[in-house]
Amino acid sequence: MSRVNTVLGPIAAEELGIVAIHEHIGYGMPGSELDTKWWRTPEQRYAETVPKLRKFHEYGGGTFVDVTGICNGRDVDYYKSLSAKTGVHIVACTGFVGGDTALPFFERAGVDYLTRQFVHEITAGIGGTGARAGIIKVGVSRGGRMTELDRRIYRAAARAAVTTGVPVLTHLAIDAEPAVAIFQEEGLPLDRVLFGHVDDGVNASSTPWTWLAGLGARIGFDTWGYETELADPPFWARPRQERLDHFIEFTDAGFFDQALVSADANCSPLGWPGVEGHTVNYIFEDLIPDLRGAGIDEARIKRLFQDNPADFLTIQD
């Protein structure tokens, strides 16, 4: 039977429903809990998060993939409570957003240790929660080039993915050549890798999306809603129509089945203000109407939000 690890236990891929493949319950940098300006209490974060997840469920959302890595505010017991409260399946990740977000302990860790860490969190559980990770997060550190630590994390992620059958998702798809080389050296098929954020306003022009898609990789258009039209846009924002045109160009090139989409929103950001008004529900309130307006029919919308992510998230035994 096909299965996907969620925080409340494995479920059949057919039960995922509409999937938001790249989201955050709450993301922050290490030490964000010491912030005195933007920090929210657990009660405040709960009050801010539950209505967003309930609205996601009311709109027809089935599964929320939280890709908040180790050291960035991942709280799996909290995710379990939220999932039980709202009816939304939550998939947690192992791995790191990037090597530069890892605490010093992990900076000193070798590939074998990191591999064991990832495999344990996928097969035995994260900490004492009993919840198993369903995806592995990796990323390119600041500066736009993979660091030596990034390479160790990518190699460990590839080995863990081959061992356990769960997929890998990247933060950014820049400096992709060494990433592809590592995955190929470790025997990880590229259809088990989602290269994310190809659509953001900073890196879209330097992301080799046609090359990656031609190799069979999954491609993440997953910063929808971060638009220059916002009152206070973040530095990675992009004009709304420009992003949509980029996506249509990608799918028209024959890569629709390799596309995965999301909003990369924070339900309640940790130690920073977040982007006001931007939530996972951009998917329903703006993105799906925009896709329909661009001529994408209901069958292809279902493939994009249900079939493609279910195929990607299914554990490969």
Side-chain angles (χ1 to χ4, degrees):
M1 182 188 78
S2 67
R3 70 188 193 283
V4 175
N5 284 342
T6 78
V7 296
L8 295 182
I11 64 172
E14 295 76 16
E15 297 177 31
L16 293 172
I18 291 175
V19 177
I21 196 69
H22 188 133
E23 300 294 328
H24 299 276
I25 296 296
Y27 172 86
M29 294 296 288
S32 61
E33 70 276 8
L34 303 176
D35 170 76
T36 58
K37 183 176 182 180
W38 299 111
W39 184 254
R40 297 169 175 83
T41 67
E43 292 79 11
Q44 289 170 325
R45 289 190 283 117
Y46 187 81
E48 189 173 26
T49 298
V50 168
K52 294 173 183 176
L53 291 179
R54 280 182 169 158
K55 178 63 71 174
F56 178 73
H57 192 257
E58 289 169 7
Y59 277 135
T63 300
F64 183 108
V65 181
D66 181 275
V67 291
T68 303
I70 299 168
C71 304
N72 287 118
R74 186 184 61 167
D75 186 342
V76 179
D77 278 330
Y78 181 44
Y79 301 170
K80 291 169 68 175
S81 172
L82 290 170
S83 182
K85 183 78 170 179
T86 65
V88 174
H89 300 302
I90 297 177
V91 176
C93 75
T94 187
F96 299 89
V97 172
D100 56 346
T101 73
L103 293 171
F105 173 83
F106 293 106
E107 291 178 12
R108 297 188 292 267
V111 172
D112 288 346
Y113 180 89
L114 292 168
T115 302
R116 291 194 300 272
Q117 174 79 22
F118 299 160
V119 169
H120 181 84
E121 293 198 337
I122 295 162
T123 60
I126 298 169
T129 66
R132 299 174 182 178
I135 196 166
I136 308 171
K137 182 72 174 285
V138 297
V140 178
S141 293
R142 289 173 183 80
R145 306 295 293 181
M146 287 181 65
T147 64
E148 195 276 331
L149 176 56
D150 291 337
R151 291 170 186 258
R152 272 185 276 144
I153 293 170
Y154 272 66
R155 192 170 297 280
R159 293 180 183 179
V162 169
T163 299
T164 64
V166 306
V168 175
L169 177 148
T170 80
H171 171 73
L172 302 177
I174 54 176
D175 202 22
E177 291 83 357
V180 167
I182 289 169
F183 293 141
Q184 291 178 333
E185 288 165 8
E186 297 297 336
L188 179 64
L190 291 182
D191 67 348
R192 302 302 294 152
V193 181
L194 169 59
F195 285 87
H197 295 348
V198 304
D199 60 323
D200 79 27
V202 175
N203 299 295
S205 62
S206 57
T207 297
W209 58 268
T210 52
W211 176 68
L212 289 167
L215 293 173
R218 313 275 183 154
I219 304 297
F221 282 76
D222 44 25
T223 61
W224 297 93
Y226 289 117
E227 301 164 347
T228 55
E229 292 88 345
L230 292 168
D232 186 19
F235 69 85
W236 61 90
R238 190 179 185 189
R240 178 171 178 164
Q241 188 62 47
E242 183 182 292
R243 179 182 282 106
L244 180 61
D245 290 344
H246 183 187
F247 179 75
I248 298 302
E249 179 186 1
F250 176 78
T251 56
D252 283 350
F255 301 122
F256 195 93
D257 289 341
Q258 292 165 242
L260 290 157
V261 299
S262 215
D264 189 29
N266 272 270
C267 291
S268 184
L270 306 176
W272 65 294
V275 176
E276 186 176 356
H278 182 240
T279 78
V280 62
N281 294 311
Y282 183 95
I283 290 170
F284 294 100
E285 295 166 354
D286 294 277
L287 175 54
I288 291 178
D290 281 355
L291 294 174
R292 288 172 176 148
I296 296 179
D297 61 28
E298 298 305 310
R300 288 199 295 165
I301 287 173
K302 178 180 180 295
R303 279 164 57 197
L304 188 61
F305 289 96
Q306 297 186 55
D307 301 340
N308 289 1
D311 182 60
F312 177 64
L313 289 170
T314 296
I315 296 172
Q316 303 294 303
D317 293 318

